[in-house]
Amino acid sequence: MVKKVLTWGGIAFLVFFVAFRPDSAADVFKSLGGGVMDIAQGFSDFFASLFA
């Protein structure tokens, strides 16, 4: 029950955030995407070094 409430609350917050602060939401997603890309690049460099 708590998991369902938190899930729907998170979705509602996300919709509210994107609807009323689109510029801030875009900045957050750019930052998250950049972080994911940095992690992927780190794994790529690690495996390239491992097999080189």
Side-chain angles (χ1 to χ4, degrees), residues 20-44:
F20 289 101
R21 301 255 185 208
D23 293 332
S24 297
D27 290 339
V28 168
F29 283 108
K30 283 181 191 176
S31 297
L32 290 175
V36 170
M37 291 300 294
D38 290 341
I39 291 169
Q41 183 66 41
F43 276 112
S44 173

Side-chain angles (χ1 to χ4, degrees), residues 1-14:
M1 180 66 179
V2 174
K3 184 178 177 182
K4 185 182 275 190
V5 170
L6 289 175
T7 300
W8 282 109
I11 291 170
F13 176 74
L14 181 63

